[in-house]
Amino acid sequence: AGSVSVVLLAGGVGKRMGASMPKQYLPLRGKPIALHSLELFLEMPEVGEIVVVCDPSYRDVFEGAAPAGALKFALPGAERQDSVLSGLSASSPEAALVAIHDSARPLVTREEVVACLQDALEHGAAVLGVQVKPTIKEADADGFVAQTLQRARLWEVQTPQVVRPALLRAGFELVAREGLEVTDDASIVEALGEPVRLTPGRYTNIKVTTPDDMSVAEGFLAERAAAA
């Protein structure tokens, strides 16, 4: 118990919402978006520490929601991967797993997180995801269909993405050495040629990036409150 370090990414600047503050601090059912997942991780016995990667001006938002001294903080970087590395560097060297979560995903459940942790313990790395529902076509440079991709083999990746720390550090060294561009944490592990398990999640674990997403998230939370 308590052997997981959570790196909670909350460093975005949030221009897409048309609001004056980063999207993860906008209120969702009376509480900043970022605090929904923070509170989940605070309640999980598997979690030994939480490293919040955020602009220092927003630290008080998190400190006000957690027991004194319960959180560590790290500075965000220019790109997502820089922020992940910053959070990883601040995490305990004793951690068995590092779970990287995007604070703009407030609807992740305990069941999803636990399943992803178990897969990562077994395989070294795991990411929460769902199979894509729409038909996806690959386009050529001129805007014509190049091919239709096999839907059964396509997954939309969410967070948390959970990795053994040594594997993630080795991946970061490789990325830095070879100047690779990666879009998510799993890609770092893939670059090493190591396996990444896809843990089936739920379609409700959306990333809130637009006002429409806010409405959808409100609806999901209202349903959960009614079912509780």
Side-chain angles (χ1 to χ4, degrees):
S3 60
V4 177
S5 294
V6 170
V7 173
L8 188 63
L9 299 176
V13 188
K15 295 188 182 111
R16 290 156 72 177
M17 284 294 259
S20 59
M21 65 171 75
K23 62 181 180 287
Q24 61 271 21
Y25 301 112
L26 295 173
L28 175 63
R29 282 183 76 84
K31 163 166 75 184
I33 289 172
L35 295 189
H36 287 266
S37 57
L38 176 76
E39 288 176 2
L40 171 69
F41 292 127
L42 281 168
E43 290 169 4
M44 292 184 64
E46 297 87 349
V47 173
E49 66 174 2
I50 300 171
V51 181
V52 180
V53 184
C54 71
D55 188 89
S57 62
Y58 286 102
R59 282 184 185 179
D60 61 316
V61 175
F62 298 95
E63 286 172 333
L71 305 177
K72 289 183 177 179
F73 289 94
L75 293 172
E79 300 292 334
R80 176 197 160 88
Q81 290 321 124
D82 303 317
S83 294
V84 172
L85 183 56
S86 177
L88 176 66
S89 302
S91 68
S92 166
E94 306 297 310
L97 293 171
V98 174
I100 298 136
H101 187 65
D102 192 324
S103 67
R105 291 188 186 271
L107 296 162
V108 72
T109 62
R110 177 185 164 76
E111 292 75 24
E112 287 170 297
V113 175
V114 167
C116 200
L117 293 176
Q118 287 171 339
D119 279 348
L121 261 181
E122 188 177 341
H123 303 285
V127 303
L128 209 53
V130 289
Q131 288 189 286
V132 301
K133 288 178 176 177
T135 296
I136 307 285
K137 294 184 186 290
E138 185 182 325
D140 65 15
D142 301 316
F144 290 90
V145 173
Q147 62 170 328
T148 301
L149 302 173
Q150 270 185 283
R151 188 167 53 189
R153 297 184 64 180
L154 297 176
W155 286 65
E156 180 183 339
V157 171
Q158 305 170 343
T159 68
Q161 303 197 4
V162 187
V163 189
R164 286 190 196 130
L167 205 53
L168 193 53
R169 289 191 180 95
F172 268 117
E173 285 168 16
L174 177 72
V175 166
R177 197 165 59 239
E178 303 200 358
L180 303 176
E181 277 204 19
V182 288
T183 54
D184 72 344
D185 317 303
S187 306
I188 295 175
V189 179
E190 290 161 38
L192 288 169
E194 295 288 340
V196 178
R197 180 75 177 168
L198 288 157
T199 303
R202 299 180 186 176
Y203 291 94
T204 48
N205 185 21
I206 62 168
K207 187 172 181 179
V208 179
T209 54
T210 67
D212 284 349
D213 297 333
M214 281 288 267
S215 305
V216 172
E218 292 265 4
F220 284 142
L221 284 172
E223 281 174 26
R224 281 186 196 171

